[in-house]
Amino acid sequence: MDDRNHMLTANLWMRLFWTDPFLTWDPSEYNGLDLLRIQGSKIWSPDILLYNSVFDEGFVENPDFKATIRPDGSVAFLYPFTYKAACRVNIVYFPEDIQVCPLKFGSWSYDGLKMDLVNRFPKGDIANLGSMEEWKVTDLVAERHVHYYNCCPEPFPDVTFTLVMKRRPLYYQYYIFVPACVLMLISLLGFLTPPESGERMTMVLTALLANTVNMEVVAGQLPKTSSYVPIIGKYFGAVLFVNALAIAMNVVILSLHFGSFRAQPPPAGLKTFLRLDAPSKWADWFFWRCFRRRSISFPPDASGVTLNSCIWKNLESALSGRTSRMKRPYSTSAMETTHLTKSYNNNNNNNSMDPVLLAKMDVIVNNLRAARMSREEKRKIDEALYEWREVASRIDRIFFAIFTVIMVVVNVVVFGMI
């Protein structure tokens, strides 16, 4: 059966039986002859045609095989024939679909008053039907119908054989559904890829493009119809939506992880929603192995000395002209410390300060103040960056859970409909 052209090609054995009163004889008069085999073209035969046949021009003629005739005038005309019939294909449940194709046989020239047409058996013989790789014939029902047309008042009987076939789905399940599920899992694995690797968007976009190509291949094997959308089309549409959703989620995660707005700390409402400042058992379980903030500590400056608040106050007091005793002068070397200490002590003793030394100390204090402010600003920025990384990591975990639920629901719903 060709799904794309809505056409059935079947190799069938036709069995026609009729009685011809002009072909009777007495076997005793012919030496006991009780059977004749005569070429079909030499005797009258009914013009039985397949009404819904598909041929380039007109109807095909029956083949010229020999007919078997008995003394009472009964004729049996048996011959193999290949029929091409137009059938309406329903692929809503593809590839688990069942196709029903009626084969309508009747006379083209004789009405029911001249030639009656009946079926001898309620079903056709499918016991000796050869096996097919894609289809399995499950039934062949024969029914007689009588029609009246506007052209003629006479009845026109026909016998319709309804061929029921079920598709074997293994091929399509292996080459269509399995790749689609794998591509969806690849999109899911993208959430487990570290954002720093730079391969997140590549994985998800590759899965989306591969799924699009797979959808085009499947669409090429299905008939073109606008009456309905098959389940497999809905499935691929759902997969495309899920992949596009994964791309949108990853864009949000990467923006939170590398965005330029991260110099400011996250909003308090967002931190509360993600349980950053108020941890709980379910949050610890759900966000297990997510990124965690750490305390920001800076190494000492290049001189190896960390500024002491006492020194800072004493330097400011000295520059403002107030006398105070410095417990530990700030210096970068023992020699400079001794020199600075002596100068400071001498100046304290003389109740005056050297202008050159005062200028140098002013520069030192300004540099220390600028370094302190720069270091404090850097600490705040780094803390904000770490908070945003933790926010991105937790939102990534939430998106991972949402995507997993959507993926499971889509597969369960689609496979439940088949």
Side-chain angles (χ1 to χ4, degrees):
M1 186 170 185
D2 191 350
D3 292 337
R4 290 170 294 180
N5 298 325
H6 296 251
M7 185 176 65
L8 169 69
T9 302
N11 298 322
L12 302 176
W13 275 94
M14 290 299 298
R15 302 173 184 177
L16 301 180
F17 304 92
W18 70 90
T19 300
D20 191 341
F22 298 100
L23 297 178
T24 59
W25 73 91
D26 187 0
S28 60
E29 296 179 359
Y30 297 94
N31 298 325
L33 181 64
D34 59 356
L35 184 65
L36 287 178
R37 288 184 174 86
I38 301 176
Q39 204 71 26
S41 58
K42 302 297 184 179
I43 62 175
W44 177 90
S45 60
D47 57 341
I48 303 299
L49 299 176
L50 178 63
Y51 283 1
N52 56 330
S53 62
V54 178
F55 290 99
D56 295 335
E57 296 181 1
F59 292 95
V60 69
E61 295 182 357
N62 293 333
D64 188 15
F65 286 93
K66 289 185 177 181
T68 302
I69 307 174
R70 297 193 177 275
D72 58 354
S74 59
V75 182
F77 192 26
L78 313 178
Y79 59 91
F81 196 73
T82 300
Y83 289 99
K84 294 183 179 180
C87 300
R88 183 178 180 83
V89 179
N90 188 348
I91 56 170
V92 172
Y93 298 100
F94 177 90
E96 298 281 349
D97 54 328
I98 297 177
Q99 301 299 332
V100 178
C101 185
L103 304 175
K104 183 178 180 180
F105 293 92
S107 174
W108 190 256
S109 303
Y110 300 98
D111 56 63
L113 301 179
K114 302 295 189 299
M115 184 183 69
D116 194 12
L117 188 63
V118 296
N119 53 294
R120 298 184 66 182
F121 304 100
K123 290 188 177 183
D125 184 12
I126 60 175
N128 298 321
L129 188 65
S131 61
M132 294 178 288
E133 291 295 331
E134 185 176 359
W135 296 96
K136 178 182 179 181
V137 178
T138 59
D139 205 355
L140 182 61
V141 181
E143 294 179 340
R144 180 178 180 272
H145 304 96
V146 178
H147 299 277
Y148 291 88
Y149 299 99
N150 296 330
C151 65
C152 312
E154 297 83 6
F156 287 86
D158 68 75
V159 175
T160 301
F161 290 89
T162 303
L163 184 63
V164 182
M165 299 179 298
K166 179 178 176 57
R167 194 190 302 268
R168 302 179 188 270
L170 180 60
Y171 174 84
Y172 298 97
Q173 290 175 350
Y174 185 78
Y175 288 100
I176 295 178
F177 284 104
V178 172
C181 294
V182 172
L183 293 176
M184 195 179 296
L185 287 175
I186 291 176
S187 299
L188 179 64
L189 293 177
F191 289 95
L192 303 179
T193 305
E196 297 84 356
S197 65
E199 298 297 331
R200 269 195 167 217
M201 295 300 297
T202 302
M203 290 180 60
V204 182
L205 287 174
T206 302
L208 178 63
L209 294 176
N211 185 71
T212 303
V213 173
N214 195 19
M215 185 176 182
E216 290 293 330
V217 173
V218 175
Q221 299 180 0
L222 300 178
K224 298 178 181 179
T225 177
S226 300
S227 302
Y228 51 82
V229 178
I231 293 179
I232 189 172
K234 297 178 181 179
Y235 178 71
F236 275 103
V239 172
L240 287 177
F241 170 76
V242 170
N243 287 336
L245 182 63
I247 293 176
M249 290 179 175
N250 281 280
V251 169
V252 173
I253 297 303
L254 294 178
S255 298
L256 293 175
H257 200 85
F258 299 104
S260 59
F261 57 86
R262 299 180 303 152
Q264 300 297 328
L270 182 61
K271 295 169 64 175
T272 302
F273 172 75
L274 297 176
R275 298 289 181 176
L276 264 68
D277 297 330
S280 59
K281 291 183 178 180
W282 72 265
D284 293 339
W285 171 82
F286 186 77
F287 298 115
W288 180 67
R289 295 185 66 85
C290 285
F291 178 82
R292 302 287 183 178
R293 286 175 293 173
R294 59 186 180 86
S295 59
I296 308 298
S297 60
F298 294 96
D301 60 1
S303 63
V305 179
T306 303
L307 182 63
N308 188 287
S309 59
C310 180
I311 299 175
W312 181 269
K313 293 179 180 179
N314 286 323
L315 286 175
E316 286 186 337
S317 300
L319 290 175
S320 62
R322 292 176 295 177
T323 59
S324 61
R325 183 178 181 84
M326 295 177 62
K327 297 181 180 180
R328 181 182 176 186
Y330 176 82
S331 177
T332 58
S333 64
M335 185 179 294
E336 292 180 358
T337 302
T338 304
H339 178 72
L340 181 60
T341 305
K342 291 179 179 179
S343 301
Y344 177 76
N345 291 334
N346 292 334
N347 288 331
N348 277 338
N349 294 331
N350 297 330
N351 199 19
S352 64
M353 295 188 68
D354 186 3
V356 177
L357 179 60
L358 183 62
K360 290 182 178 180
M361 294 180 66
D362 190 18
V363 172
I364 292 174
V365 170
N366 290 333
N367 291 338
L368 291 175
R369 183 182 292 111
R372 182 179 180 182
M373 294 177 62
S374 176
R375 182 166 301 189
E376 185 69 19
E377 185 68 22
K378 186 176 185 302
R379 184 185 66 80
K380 292 181 179 180
I381 293 176
D382 286 346
E383 286 183 352
L385 293 178
Y386 279 114
E387 286 184 349
W388 277 113
R389 287 187 63 184
E390 187 172 6
V391 167
S393 178
R394 296 201 172 196
I395 293 180
D396 192 10
R397 180 63 58 83
I398 295 174
F399 283 170
F400 174 80
I402 294 175
F403 187 86
T404 302
V405 172
I406 293 176
M407 184 185 69
V408 172
V409 170
V410 167
N411 285 276
V412 170
V413 171
V414 171
F415 286 104
M417 296 172 62
I418 297 179

